Amino acid sequence: MTIALALVISAGVVHGRWTHRWTVSHAIEDAAARLDRVPLTLGDWQGEPMELDRKQLALGEIAGYIARRYVNRLNQDTVTVLLVCGSPGPISVHTPDVCYVGAGFELSGEAGLFSVPRESSFPRAEFRNALLQKPSVHWPTYLRILWSWSAVGPWEVPDNPRLAFASRQVLYKLYVIRQPTSADEPVEDDPSPRFLRILLPELERVLFGSTSRGSPK
């Protein structure tokens, strides 16, 4: 799964070189520091940190990240989480349904929308959902990836993220990745949505605090 995360990061390198914007504001530095507050233990899920290539992170203008493999201690379900932050320009582009296809995966159908119900007054979280397959003469590899963006609390997937978040100082992008055993497994049976219902309230708390209902642009 570390290779899968590296594909996500490397896709942003070209864009980082092209923009030539390397200045990190205090707002971005603060946003990156908040990532360390995301708990390793989330209910029955225990996280294990993963390291990514620092050079690629810098070239992709990723100011901060956490990459973790979470395992449910009760049933051994496993998901991989990548949460990055930085300037909206580079963070808003290069979605997995594009960059993974360039790395040899095939998109199984259209990347659709998936809503994670919320048990609070906050709106439900919207994610893009893609199932990818890498053909093999022995056994195909499948990946399900859910991803979304957030600037001030709500997680959303606008049609044009770069335009939608252009006025923001900082942008977070969240990926939840899992390797299903077949292409027939529906997203409702995937443990990723159940994990997100535990993770998202924690992200509201540590990343946005009392500003999660909105903040100045």
Side-chain angles (χ1 to χ4, degrees):
M1 195 61 75
T2 303
I3 296 175
L5 294 181
L7 287 173
V8 172
I9 295 299
S10 62
V13 171
V14 173
H15 179 80
R17 290 174 181 242
W18 180 69
T19 57
H20 299 290
R21 290 181 289 115
W22 307 109
T23 302
V24 179
S25 69
H26 291 300
I28 293 177
E29 289 176 346
D30 178 68
R34 289 172 181 264
L35 293 172
D36 292 333
R37 305 175 193 173
V38 179
L40 275 172
T41 301
L42 294 167
D44 295 323
W45 298 83
Q46 182 61 45
E48 177 185 353
M50 304 167 68
E51 292 293 328
L52 299 179
D53 185 271
R54 290 286 177 178
K55 184 176 180 181
Q56 286 191 331
L57 291 168
L59 289 172
E61 295 189 73
I62 293 173
Y65 82 97
I66 56 170
R68 294 175 183 172
R69 178 176 179 266
Y70 279 90
V71 179
N72 188 301
R73 64 180 178 83
L74 298 181
N75 55 25
Q76 301 306 302
D77 283 339
T78 302
V79 298
T80 300
V81 172
L82 176 63
L83 176 61
V84 302
C85 74
S87 297
I91 300 300
S92 64
V93 296
H94 300 295
T95 56
D97 54 331
V98 175
C99 64
Y100 275 75
V101 170
F105 282 84
E106 297 176 353
L107 191 63
S108 296
E110 295 274 333
L113 287 175
F114 184 80
S115 297
V116 180
R118 309 298 303 280
E119 298 178 359
S120 70
S121 59
F122 291 94
R124 66 177 59 203
E126 300 291 338
F127 281 78
R128 192 71 68 183
N129 164 39
L131 181 66
L132 300 110
Q133 174 183 344
K134 192 167 190 178
S136 169
V137 293
H138 301 293
W139 197 262
T141 299
Y142 300 98
L143 289 178
R144 183 183 302 282
I145 306 179
L146 300 174
W147 71 94
S148 187
W149 294 267
S150 183
V152 293
W155 293 90
E156 50 190 329
V157 284
D159 291 336
N160 189 334
R162 187 169 186 176
L163 179 61
F165 298 114
S167 63
R168 300 295 183 180
Q169 287 186 313
V170 181
L171 186 63
Y172 289 98
K173 188 175 185 180
L174 173 63
Y175 304 85
V176 178
I177 305 170
R178 182 173 172 270
Q179 189 169 330
T181 56
S182 74
D184 298 327
E185 181 184 280
V187 65
E188 291 79 10
D189 293 342
D190 193 297
S192 299
R194 300 194 298 273
F195 172 77
L196 279 169
R197 284 194 285 270
I198 300 174
L199 173 66
L200 293 179
E202 288 297 319
L203 296 187
E204 283 175 359
R205 180 179 65 84
V206 301
L207 301 183
F208 307 108
S210 61
T211 67
S212 57
R213 291 181 184 271
S215 66
K217 294 185 180 182

